[in-house]
Each structure stands twice: as C-alpha cells, then as structure tokens.
C-alpha cells in the first residue's frame, strides 16, 4: 500500500490516495467497510509506530492501530510513559478529556472521524463483504470529489489569499516543512513578488531542508537557520508564515513541535504570525496545552550519530534518564494574528464559527 | 444615469442632509442609480452598480463608502435570481434596496440606546475627532438626565474636534478641547473612552481618524475601557496585520490619490487600531467583543 502513496502531495492527499486504492482493489487491507467510518489501518510510513499519549498511559489500544500497523513500541519507550510523565498526564486526562479519535493524527481523525461532510455518504451504502459496484463507484466518486475540493482547490485558494499578504521587500520566516506554505511562496514568487525567506529548522526531523530545497529550486533567496537562532533573526523579519496540523475549537493551533516557540518569540518582537490551514483540519477538540494529548516519536532519534551521541546512547540502562521526542505542540490563540483558510482570512477565535457554518451546510 | 449625474446626486445628498453618514448618502445615490438604470440583464445591472460604487469611492475615499456599497449590493442581489422576468427582479431589488436604507437609517438610534447605559452619572468621557454616532450616543445620555463631561482632542489637521465641541456645547455638556499630544496626560482623569469608526475590519480592529491608535494604547496602559460605536454597514472584509497593511486607497483623501503619484510625502488620514486594545464594539447588531466581529462578518458576507 505504501508504494501507492508516493511522495507527491500533502500527507492528507497521500492518505486519501491509499484509501482510494484500497477501495478500488476491494481489499480490506486498508478499510473496514460497512460501518459509519472507514478506519485506516495502513498508510505512509512513520518513523515510529504512533501511539497517542493517552492510549499508552491507559495501556489501551483501539481497533485502528491493530497488528496491521505492526511495530510495537519498545518496552523502554512505554516505560517512559508508564513512569512519572504518564502519571502526571494521566491525572488531568482521566478527569475527562476522553474524546479522541483513534486514528493516527488529529488531521487524519478529522478526515475519517467526522460524521459530517462528504464522508457522511459512507453511512449510506451498507456494503457487505464484497462491495457492490455502484456503491464502490459512488464512494470513489465522493472521495475524489472531496480530495479535489477540500484539499487541492483549497490549497489554490489559500495560496491566492496569502498572496495578498505578501508584499515586495518582505522577509518571511517559515518553519519546518508545510506543503501549503511552500506552495504559497513558490506561487508568489512566480507572480513576481520580490521577497526573501528565512527557513528555520530543528532536530531531529530536519524537515526544513525539504522546504529549503523546494524554494531554492524556484530561485527564491533563502537563509537557513536552526531554531536556536530565531531571536537573532527576528528583528529583520516582516512576517512569519506557518503551517498547521489542526486548528482546535478554542483557536489553538496544533502544529509541529517548535511552532509555538516561534510564535512566542515573534510576539515578543511584534512580528505578525500567519497560519495557513485548510478547513478540513478544523477540529472540535479543545486542548489547552501540549501535554494533554500528543504523539511520541522514536527517542533514539535524539541521539546524535558519531561521537556526540556517546553520552546518551546508554539511556535505556540508566534508570534516571529518559528521552522524550514529541511530535506536536499547541500554540495558544493570542500568539497567532491571522489564519488563512480556503474560506478567507479569519482570526483564530473564529474557528468555531466556521465549524458551525460547515455543520449547517451539511 | 451616467457617472457625472451619480456624483452630482451623491454630493446633493451630502449637502442636503449634513448629518447623514457618507455611506448612507452613497447608498441613496446608488438606489437612485438602480431605479434609473436602463439595462436589460441582471449581470449588466450588477456590473453597472459595481462601477458606480467604484466611482463613488473615487469621490469619497473613506472605508465606509466602499464597504456600505458592497453590503448594499449583496443585500439586494440575495433574491435576484428567483424570477425569470427581469423587470420583476429589478422591482424586488429596488424594494430590498429601500428596506436596506430604512434599516441603516435606524442604526444610529439603536446604537445610542445600547451605549448610553454604559455612561454613568458623573462620568468623564474622552473622545476623538468628529463622529456623528458618538454625538448621538452623548445626546441620548444627556436626554436620560445624566451628568457627564467630555474631553475632546482637537484632531489635526482638519480641527474636526472643534466642530464636535461646538455641537456638544449646544447640548449643554461641559466640553474641554485638548491637544492631540495631551492624550497620555489626560488619560488618568477620564473614566472611559468612546470613539467612532470609519471601518471595522475582520479581526475586530477599527480604522478611524489618525490618533485613534495612540488613544487606544494609552487607554490600555491605564486600564480604561475603550469603546467603539459603529454601524454594521461599516464592517469590511479587510484584515490588516499592521499600519502598513491598510490599503493606500483608504489612507489618503480621494483627490490626493488622483493627483499625487508619490504618496510618501503625504500624511495618512487614518490609522488602524488592533482588536486587543478594544474593549467592546456597539453596533446595531448588538454589543460585540472584537472576536465576535468576525462571526458577524461571516454571517453578513457568506
């Protein structure tokens, strides 16, 4: 299944493609048909089998992350969560944060967990073991339509709106790798805007290098720094453009770890922070901080190769040392100035309005 | 009705009724234009109206004229596609246009009714430049037998504050005119700040006569409530990030834009106040917090 996903497009598009392919082949390897939702158990390779924090803390695993997704986290990692960290987290969680989609990330949860929207057609045709051709055709049609409207056209719309906010002579700071942000900048450059970009990157994923490659290929002037240098660079930056993995109902932005740091320091320097996000990423969850629910990445990634990693390499044997590699963090709405969506430019606090409008439409 | 006639009608409305908002005068002129339009298709009519709004923005470059015009156009075209007969459609559009005009002429009274209760007996109010909505609010407060005093900035370069001071003294309200530079000095003496707005933007911030932003910053620093009174036709789909992001066509007067090529020598007439500095907005849609403005805009425009 993974080879079908390919590299092009955003994670969401790749996810959709895999599911579409699975449906077309009629295999249940990717789908559990016949239900209200399609749970997606296969998919693009993650370096680490993603287990959400609370699942680990509770020792529970839901249907989606079954044996099909394979690897079990090493006992040591679970220990990290089973330890003080999980205890600290479990308490507030058990207090009733309960609602959480069992799929891989919030953004995927939004695609599949939502009973509304285009996906509501899934509750229509009740398909049994071998799906009837019309039902499959209808399903494929609506999947394709959804991908076209909510993902591809939305990216175009966002690029157009963001273009209005980029002026000549701008110095734009971007973080990590967001397909939307890269596309916006490439389109703006193609339309003749003169600006330069500062690409901020962080370990261990070093996703900024992807962005850097894409932008330099288009001829955009770029500077590459690590996240530790942002207070040095920010006085010359005119705006910050960030991507998002999800927008929560209280206006918080959930994005790659490091984003909230950038937003915080930008606020201190009075640099406007703009977030680009499609409406399908809007989520009805509310999260006040990054610990309530997050994902863990392979802690061994934090160990530097070569001589530098010598001190950390023996962490598993050391009972007082734990390595924590978080994937996401939550940026509070006060630090974000503007959210650019396919519906237009809205302030962070208007996310529930958009969700309400979407619900009314469907 | 061609451009010149339209501009004449607009100017006539302004001189006839000096108390009317420029946006209302523009909408009245647009309604006249609609009635006299000789086209045969809905699309043609809409295009003509759009051009008419452009023309009027060329005469009076304030934000309210362009936002009011656009809202007018949206309001009347909501039901235009239901009938296949063009003349019937046009009739309906004219009817809706008159309904729109009736509604917005009542808006100032609605705002005054909402806002005057926030002015307590013995209050000391600070306001900026000449705003007819603020004047109406203070009239309503005076009529409900409240005693209050007003500090007003003289608001250079056109001394609009002096006009406001004259109007207020006619109401027997004690007025003091202060220098624009004295806002930080006077802030500790006042209880609340009320200003009007030329435009209300999507973030909940406002665009108003230059000097409003520094008044808002001083009010925030001294923890004084900063109230804005604005009619709903002033809601505009702009989202400025900072002062520079406000389009040039609103910053300068219309004649300056037409004659001058380099605007760097010109002084802007408006500035942008960010929503974090505003406590509440009083509109005919109700009393809103800055974050609720976006909700209302989505409802108006989507």
């Amino acid at each position: 299944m993974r080879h079908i996903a390919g590299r092009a497009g955003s994670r969401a598009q790749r996810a959709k493609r895999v599911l579409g392919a699975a449906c077309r082949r009629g295999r249940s390897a990717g789908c559990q048909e016949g239900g209200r939702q399609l749970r997606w158990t296969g998919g693009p390779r993650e370096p680490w089998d993603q287990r959400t924090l609370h699942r680990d803390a509770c020792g529970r695993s839901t249907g989606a992350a079954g044996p099909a997704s394979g690897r079990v986290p090493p006992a040591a990692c679970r220990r990290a969560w089973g330890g003080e960290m999980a205890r600290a987290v479990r308490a507030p969680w058990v207090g009733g944060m309960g609602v959480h989609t069992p799929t891989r990330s919030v953004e995927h949860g939004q695609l599949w967990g939502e009973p509304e929207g285009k996906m509501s057609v899934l509750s229509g045709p009740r398909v049994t073991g071998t799906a009837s051709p019309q039902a499959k055709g209808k399903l494929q049609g609506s999947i394709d339509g959804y991908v076209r409207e909510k993902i591809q056209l939305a990216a175009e719309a966002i690029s157009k709106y963001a273009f209005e906010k980029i002026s000549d002579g701008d110095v734009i700071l971007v973080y990590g790798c967001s397909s939307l942000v890269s596309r916006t900048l490439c389109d703006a450059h193609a339309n003749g805007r003169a600006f330069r970009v500062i690409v901020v990157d962080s370990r261990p994923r070093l996703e900024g290098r992807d962005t850097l490659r894409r932008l330099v290929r288009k001829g955009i002037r770029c500077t590459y720094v690590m996240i530790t240098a942002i207070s040095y660079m920010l006085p010359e930056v005119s705006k910050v453009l960030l991507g998002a993995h999800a927008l929560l109902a209280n206006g918080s932005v959930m994005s790659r770890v490091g984003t909230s740091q950038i937003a915080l320091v930008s606020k201190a320097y009075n640099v406007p922070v703009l977030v680009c996000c499609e409406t399908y990423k809007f989520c009805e969850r509310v999260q006040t901080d990054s610990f309530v629910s997050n994902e863990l990445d392979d802690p061994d990634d934090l160990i530097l190769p070569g001589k530098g990693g010598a001190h950390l390499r023996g962490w598993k044997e050391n009972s007082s040392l734990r390595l924590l590699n978080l994937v996401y963090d939550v940026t509070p709405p006060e630090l974000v100035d503007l959210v650019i969506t396919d519906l237009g430019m809205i302030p962070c606090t208007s996310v529930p309005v958009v969700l309400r409008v979407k619900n009314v439409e469907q | 009705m061609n451009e010149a006639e339209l501009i004449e009608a607009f100017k006539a409305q302004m001189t006839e009724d000096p108390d009317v908002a420029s946006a209302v005068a523009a909408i009245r002129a647009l309604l006249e234009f609609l009635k006299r339009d000789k086209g045969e298709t809905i699309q043609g009519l809409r295009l003509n109206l759009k051009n008419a709004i452009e023309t009027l923005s060329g005469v009076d470059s304030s934000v309210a004229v362009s936002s009011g015009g656009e809202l007018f156009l949206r309001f009347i075209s909501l039901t235009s596609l239901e009938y296949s007969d063009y003349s019937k459609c046009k009739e309906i559009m004219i009817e809706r246009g008159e309904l729109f005009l009736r509604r917005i002429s009542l808006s100032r009274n609605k705002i005054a009714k909402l806002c005057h209760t926030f002015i307590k007996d013995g209050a000391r109010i600070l306001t900026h430049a000449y705003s007819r909505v603020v004047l109406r609010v203070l009239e309503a407060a005076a009529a409900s037998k409240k005693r209050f005093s007003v500090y007003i900035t003289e608001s250079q370069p056109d001394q609009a504050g002096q006009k406001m001071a004259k109007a207020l003294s006619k109401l027997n309200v004690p007025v003091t005119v202060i220098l624009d530079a004295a806002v930080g000095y006077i802030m500790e003496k006042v209880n609340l700040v009320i200003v009007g707005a030329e435009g209300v933007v999507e973030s909940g911030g406002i665009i108003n006569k230059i000097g409003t932003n520094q008044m808002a910053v001083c009010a925030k620093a001294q923890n004084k409530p900063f109230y804005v009174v604005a009619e709903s036709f002033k809601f505009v789909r702009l989202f400025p990030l900072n002062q520079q992001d406000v389009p040039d066509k609103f910053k300068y007067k219309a004649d300056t834009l037409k004659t001058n090529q380099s605007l760097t020598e010109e002084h802007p007439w408006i500035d942008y106040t960010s929503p974090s500095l505003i406590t509440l907005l009083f509109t005919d849609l109700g009393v809103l917090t800055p974050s609720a403005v976006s909700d209302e805009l989505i409802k108006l425009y989507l």
Side-chain angles (χ1 to χ4, degrees):
Chain A
M1 274 299 153
R2 291 181 199 140
H3 62 279
I4 296 163
R7 286 199 151 273
S10 63
R11 275 177 67 193
Q13 282 176 305
R14 292 202 292 270
K16 286 274 184 182
R17 244 179 273 153
V18 167
L19 186 56
C23 281
R24 273 189 285 279
R25 292 187 194 179
R27 266 196 252 154
S28 56
C31 317
Q32 286 169 21
E33 299 164 304
R36 270 205 97 199
Q37 305 167 350
L38 284 180
R39 281 167 211 263
W40 174 52
T41 55
R45 181 197 166 270
E46 294 290 358
W48 182 244
D49 178 29
Q50 310 284 325
R51 297 268 180 186
T52 56
L53 231 186
H54 79 274
R55 272 197 275 146
D56 236 288
C58 298
R60 202 168 25 113
S61 97
T62 58
S69 46
R71 295 158 299 152
V72 175
C77 183
R78 229 195 258 133
R79 228 189 301 143
W81 285 115
E84 288 97 51
M85 198 72 74
R87 267 194 283 279
V89 168
R90 212 180 297 172
W93 183 80
V94 163
M97 287 299 277
V99 186
H100 188 69
T101 56
T103 50
R104 202 138 286 201
S105 71
V106 178
E107 129 192 319
H108 293 155
Q110 277 315 101
L111 287 175
W112 304 119
E114 288 294 280
E116 57 179 272
K118 281 283 195 172
M119 290 298 114
S120 61
V121 79
L122 297 178
S123 61
R126 288 256 141 204
V127 285
T128 51
T130 52
S132 68
Q134 297 114 315
K136 253 170 69 170
K138 199 169 171 206
L139 191 59
Q140 271 167 242
S142 52
I143 291 178
D144 288 334
Y146 193 86
V147 170
R148 204 174 39 243
E149 268 179 38
K150 298 284 183 183
I151 304 176
Q152 286 164 349
L153 286 180
E156 251 184 67
I158 291 175
S159 173
K160 278 209 185 79
Y161 283 124
F163 179 68
E164 291 167 28
K165 285 294 170 203
I166 300 175
S167 13
D168 282 326
D170 259 351
V171 179
I172 302 177
L173 189 128
V174 300
Y175 176 62
C177 185
S178 162
S179 57
L180 259 185
V181 169
S182 313
R183 187 206 170 123
T184 304
L185 294 175
C186 294
D187 286 350
H189 183 76
N191 281 324
R193 281 275 196 267
F195 57 90
R196 63 185 181 91
V197 177
I198 298 179
V199 180
V200 178
D201 205 2
S202 71
R203 282 194 64 239
R205 287 183 174 228
L206 292 173
E207 292 172 328
R209 294 185 179 182
D210 266 330
T211 312
L212 189 64
R213 202 173 301 129
R214 283 185 216 182
L215 296 180
V216 168
R217 210 169 274 162
K218 297 282 175 153
I220 302 176
R221 280 169 57 209
C222 296
T223 310
Y224 178 77
V225 294
M226 295 303 262
I227 195 168
T228 36
I230 51 173
S231 7
Y232 179 73
M233 304 303 293
L234 270 168
E236 53 183 71
V237 172
S238 56
K239 40 183 75 89
V240 176
L241 206 52
L242 301 170
H245 284 263
L247 236 66
L248 307 173
N250 62 346
S252 305
V253 178
M254 178 177 254
S255 189
R256 186 67 77 210
V257 67
T259 310
S260 62
Q261 203 175 321
I262 302 227
L264 187 64
V265 185
S266 305
K267 185 76 174 183
Y269 283 94
N270 263 331
V271 177
V273 174
L274 284 63
V275 171
C276 296
C277 184
E278 300 100 322
T279 44
Y280 73 81
K281 289 180 183 169
F282 285 23
C283 177
E284 306 214 339
R285 255 172 48 183
V286 173
Q287 236 179 278
T288 47
D289 61 48
S290 314
F291 268 124
V292 163
S293 171
N294 209 325
E295 288 188 11
L296 292 179
D297 211 354
D298 188 352
D300 290 326
D301 283 346
L302 290 180
I303 305 176
L304 281 171
K307 285 193 295 179
H311 305 286
L312 290 180
R313 224 159 267 151
W315 69 275
K316 291 176 201 170
E317 290 78 45
N318 192 340
S319 60
S320 42
L321 178 61
R322 290 288 166 264
L323 296 189
L324 178 61
N325 191 358
L326 288 176
V327 180
Y328 298 116
D329 72 11
V330 171
T331 307
E334 306 83 60
L335 302 178
V336 177
D337 290 294
L338 171 61
V339 178
I340 307 178
T341 69
D342 38 308
L343 291 177
M345 296 188 263
I346 58 172
C348 245
T349 44
S350 288
V351 168
V353 184
V354 173
L355 286 170
R356 203 168 56 223
V357 164
K358 264 186 6 177
N359 277 332
V360 163
E361 273 174 30
Q362 285 124 16
Chain B
M1 192 183 198
N2 63 12
E3 271 186 30
E5 284 174 7
L6 177 66
I7 297 178
E8 272 313 304
F10 177 56
K11 291 205 177 128
Q13 289 284 348
M14 296 285 281
T15 44
E16 225 174 78
D17 190 359
D19 208 25
V20 80
S22 54
V24 179
I27 291 171
R28 283 195 194 137
L30 284 172
L31 198 55
E32 261 315 299
F33 180 86
L34 174 62
K35 286 183 185 151
R36 293 202 223 165
D37 181 72
K38 298 238 181 352
E40 288 296 315
T41 62
I42 297 281
Q43 288 285 50
L45 183 62
R46 283 182 63 101
L47 199 56
N48 286 344
L49 276 171
K50 275 207 183 93
N51 291 335
I53 297 174
E54 286 285 320
T55 319
L56 288 175
S57 301
V59 173
D60 183 345
S61 68
S62 65
V63 187
V65 168
S66 84
S67 72
E70 201 188 321
L71 279 167
F72 174 71
L73 192 53
R74 280 182 170 266
F75 191 79
I76 62 175
S77 6
L78 269 178
T79 55
S80 63
L81 302 171
E82 282 176 17
Y83 300 92
S84 50
D85 183 18
Y86 173 72
S87 50
K88 191 116 199 276
C89 272
K90 193 165 169 197
E91 247 176 65
I92 304 239
M93 286 172 90
I94 293 177
E95 231 178 86
R96 284 186 73 80
E98 311 216 312
L99 177 65
F100 188 74
L101 208 50
R102 263 199 307 276
R103 268 200 211 162
I104 59 178
S105 41
L106 297 172
S107 53
R108 270 193 205 158
N109 286 330
K110 278 192 210 162
I111 296 173
K113 230 191 299 196
L114 282 173
C115 190
H116 77 87
T117 47
F118 281 71
I119 299 173
K120 302 202 173 44
D121 202 26
R124 286 184 295 271
I125 303 171
L126 175 62
T127 183
H128 184 60
Y130 179 62
S131 164
R132 288 167 279 230
V133 192
V134 176
L135 198 52
R136 187 69 66 87
V137 168
L138 296 177
E139 270 173 27
S144 55
K145 305 282 191 285
K146 289 194 210 177
R147 292 162 297 187
F148 55 92
S149 59
V150 180
Y151 293 94
I152 171 108
T153 54
E154 63 172 1
S155 178
Q156 295 283 11
D158 59 353
Q159 302 259 351
Q162 303 284 8
K163 217 162 74 170
M164 182 82 160
K166 258 194 226 99
L168 280 172
S169 46
K170 285 207 194 84
L171 297 172
N172 288 325
V173 174
V175 187
T176 316
V177 178
I178 61 172
L179 292 173
D180 294 335
V183 168
Y185 172 80
I186 210 81
M187 193 56 74
E188 58 187 36
K189 286 201 200 147
V190 301
N191 301 119
L192 70 155
V193 184
I194 306 182
V195 298
E198 292 197 23
V200 179
V201 295
E202 263 190 274
S203 55
I206 58 164
I207 292 183
N208 198 22
K209 183 84 186 291
I210 193 139
T212 313
N213 191 30
Q214 64 201 35
M215 197 180 276
V217 173
C218 290
K220 189 79 178 181
Q222 301 260 4
N223 285 321
K224 306 287 178 184
F226 188 85
Y227 298 132
V228 173
V229 287
E231 301 99 314
S232 62
F233 58 77
K234 291 181 174 163
F235 282 23
V236 62
R237 291 218 82 178
L238 271 179
F239 204 129
L241 297 169
N242 46 29
Q243 304 297 338
Q244 225 189 359
D245 222 11
V246 179
D248 278 345
K249 63 178 180 180
F250 297 133
K251 276 192 198 161
Y252 307 100
K253 293 282 180 197
D255 6 14
T256 324
L257 288 165
K258 272 188 270 204
T259 53
N260 249 341
Q261 284 301 71
S262 108
L263 292 167
T264 47
E265 308 281 313
E266 292 299 321
H267 211 272
W269 281 80
I270 55 160
D271 64 16
Y272 166 67
T273 305
S274 92
S276 52
L277 303 169
I278 300 173
T279 319
L280 286 176
L281 287 113
F282 295 88
T283 69
D284 45 320
L285 301 167
V287 183
L288 307 171
T289 55
S291 37
V293 169
S294 175
D295 300 14
E296 294 298 327
L297 265 170
I298 292 180
K299 275 193 238 159
L300 282 173
Y301 275 94
L302 274 182

